[in-house]
Amino acid sequence: MAEFTLELNDDQKQVRDWLHGFAADVIRPAASEWDEREEMPWPVIQEAAKLGIYSLDFYAQQFFDPTGLGIPMAVEELFWGDAGIALSIVGTGLAAVGVLANGTEEQIGTWIPQMYGDAKDVKVAAFCSSEPDAGSDVASMRTRAVYDQAKDEWVLNGTKTWATNGGIANVHVVVAVVDAELGSKGHASFIVPPNTPGLSQGQKFKKHGIRASHTAEVVLEDVRVPGHCLLGGKEKLDQRLARARERAASGGERVKNAAMATFEASRPAVGAMAVGTARAAYEVALDYAKTRTQFGRPIIDNQGVAFQLADMRTQIDAARLLVWRASWMASTDKPFTSAEGSMSKLYASETAKKVTAQAVQILGGNGFTREYPVERMHRDAAIYTIFEGTSEIQRLVIARTLSGVPIR
């Protein structure tokens, strides 16, 4: 078991510096353009693929870093560059985590490589869980998966929303209801292979922030997928459903569903995204405060500005520590007995919103214009308290974990 340390090793520092250079030299110069275009930044993704940043090998190396710090370190640097472009680069990872969390070894080996493609033929993947009437309320999910035993196929029908890479992905991972009577415990995840008939893109959303990331509805109309596309396999699903029915009948403990297993594994990474955006805004504000003069002196000489910057830096460092703790715990198989994953996501996302707002305030009128990046960073930061579980849901998860009471 790896020893916990707050010091990155030489290999990690090398990767961090490499990613920082890519973020500074490639992502940042393109950020404003793709935010305005509100389109998937394919040229940047392709450049990342050429360099090996957008690749299965790179993310596998970071994911299996024994300290647990590989992924949060990498994510923070990319999102320091720009949240929208970075999400386009790492968005496939949520679908990959969905397969890692729920799939068999054969499924992991078969499908995750197809999610990334290679430098000559870049692919992306989408994780499809939320629905128009079922975001935080996963028990209200309506997408259904019905098993056709004669053909050993699952038939999927429904509409997914807020799907990163939805409709344009090579591989879609779809969460659907297989037993409606079990509520959220009756869900399962399915791989929808490339070019499967019946899957189409619905509405593409025009967003407040992260506008370089493609977000859309995914419509499923009699989508047939082979039996082997059920993540984990039918035998495992039948066993899990049987246990859920027994526990429901006896009033026993809850059983985690497929979507929650994915989100639980990815929440510290979302925290790292927020840390990257917050750090970027703080650095802009700090530099501005040192050079902007009012009344004959730099504005950082004013306590009101200096204290804001002190608080911003303290909150960013605290958020990073929570993210690193949760990531280390996950990598060493330590259970989140106090919902540490949710804690990291909650604090980091709220910090990003607050710090980017303070950065806009420190820049004053300039911060309100698109001539300075803090305006975009402030818009981008809003998503962290919403996607992959709102701040309110994170607080609910934490409170339930600490109290043992099914708080509603």
Side-chain angles (χ1 to χ4, degrees):
M1 181 181 297
E3 292 291 333
F4 177 75
T5 176
L6 295 178
E7 179 70 25
L8 299 177
N9 61 42
D10 290 342
D11 289 341
Q12 290 168 328
K13 289 177 181 177
Q14 185 176 8
V15 171
R16 179 199 61 192
D17 294 345
W18 173 49
L19 291 172
H20 186 81
F22 178 80
D25 298 338
V26 181
I27 293 179
R28 283 203 165 180
S32 179
E33 175 189 353
W34 291 99
D35 177 72
E36 293 287 348
R37 291 175 63 167
E38 298 191 53
E39 296 176 0
M40 190 84 162
W42 286 109
V44 182
I45 299 172
Q46 289 166 345
E47 183 65 21
K50 289 178 184 177
L51 295 174
I53 294 172
Y54 183 81
S55 70
L56 174 58
D57 286 345
F58 173 73
Y59 285 107
Q61 288 174 13
Q62 304 315 310
F63 185 84
F64 291 110
D65 180 336
T67 70
L69 302 185
I71 288 294
M73 176 199 65
V75 167
E76 179 181 333
E77 292 305 324
L78 293 173
F79 278 74
W80 173 89
D82 176 68
I85 292 177
L87 188 57
S88 292
I89 294 173
V90 307
T92 291
L94 185 58
V97 168
V99 176
L100 282 169
N102 301 295
T104 64
E105 289 187 9
E106 182 178 359
Q107 289 169 331
I108 292 169
T110 298
W111 294 110
I112 293 183
Q114 295 187 47
M115 294 179 174
Y116 288 93
D118 55 44
K120 295 181 180 179
D121 186 19
V122 175
K123 306 293 185 183
V124 295
F127 182 76
C128 307
S129 177
S130 294
E131 297 184 2
D133 296 319
S136 299
D137 183 11
V138 294
S140 296
M141 190 176 292
R142 296 181 180 178
T143 298
R144 296 291 187 266
V146 178
Y147 185 57
D148 183 342
Q149 187 170 3
K151 295 184 177 181
D152 186 26
E153 292 179 338
W154 289 90
V155 185
L156 280 59
N157 282 282
T159 299
K160 295 295 181 179
T161 194
W162 313 124
T164 299
N165 300 334
I168 65 172
N170 189 57
V171 176
H172 291 76
V173 178
V174 177
V175 182
V177 178
V178 294
D179 189 331
E181 293 183 359
L182 293 175
S184 62
K185 295 181 284 293
H187 297 175
S189 292
F190 299 85
I191 291 285
V192 180
N195 304 314
T196 299
L199 184 147
S200 62
Q201 179 183 308
Q203 175 188 5
K204 178 187 174 183
F205 294 103
K206 296 179 73 67
K207 305 187 297 295
H208 175 66
I210 54 166
R211 301 198 304 191
S213 173
H214 176 94
T215 310
E217 290 182 333
V218 174
V219 180
L220 304 140
E221 297 179 309
D222 292 330
V223 173
R224 287 183 167 267
V225 298
H228 62 76
C229 287
L230 165 65
L231 289 181
K234 186 134 188 336
E235 182 178 352
K236 183 178 178 181
L237 172 65
D238 289 341
Q239 292 172 354
R240 179 167 62 82
L241 294 178
R243 291 196 303 271
R245 294 186 190 105
E246 291 174 3
R247 286 167 177 163
S250 63
E253 63 182 282
R254 295 182 299 155
V255 179
K256 293 178 183 177
N257 65 66
M260 290 302 100
T262 300
F263 291 141
E264 198 168 276
S266 64
R267 278 172 180 157
V270 177
M273 298 176 189
V275 171
T277 299
R279 184 181 123 215
Y282 158 77
E283 290 176 1
V284 173
L286 178 63
D287 289 343
Y288 186 89
K290 289 178 178 179
T291 57
R292 172 69 167 172
T293 59
Q294 290 286 280
F295 307 105
R297 61 181 183 178
I299 63 174
I300 199 171
D301 284 356
N302 298 303
Q303 228 179 55
V305 173
F307 281 12
Q308 281 193 75
L309 289 163
D311 286 343
M312 291 159 74
R313 176 59 186 266
T314 300
Q315 291 158 3
I316 291 167
D317 283 8
R320 183 184 296 108
L321 289 173
L322 284 171
V323 168
W324 282 18
R325 178 183 70 168
S327 301
W328 170 75
M329 290 177 69
S331 73
T332 52
D333 294 323
K334 294 186 180 298
F336 289 162
T337 55
S338 299
E340 288 86 353
S342 290
M343 284 184 184
S344 70
K345 198 266 187 186
L346 169 65
Y347 189 80
S349 60
E350 293 290 346
T351 293
K353 281 188 68 174
K354 184 176 181 179
V355 166
T356 55
Q358 288 175 304
V360 171
Q361 190 69 22
I362 289 171
L363 269 67
N366 286 327
F368 200 66
T369 71
R370 296 190 182 181
E371 296 300 314
Y372 287 80
V374 292
E375 178 272 339
R376 184 181 68 251
M377 294 169 184
H378 184 43
R379 286 188 286 108
D380 291 341
I383 194 59
Y384 300 130
T385 63
I386 298 172
F387 71 177
E388 295 196 46
T390 64
S391 287
E392 291 74 22
I393 290 297
Q394 304 309 319
R395 291 185 175 99
L396 188 64
V397 170
I398 296 166
R400 285 176 172 175
T401 303
L402 297 178
S403 68
V405 176
I407 300 166
R408 301 183 67 82

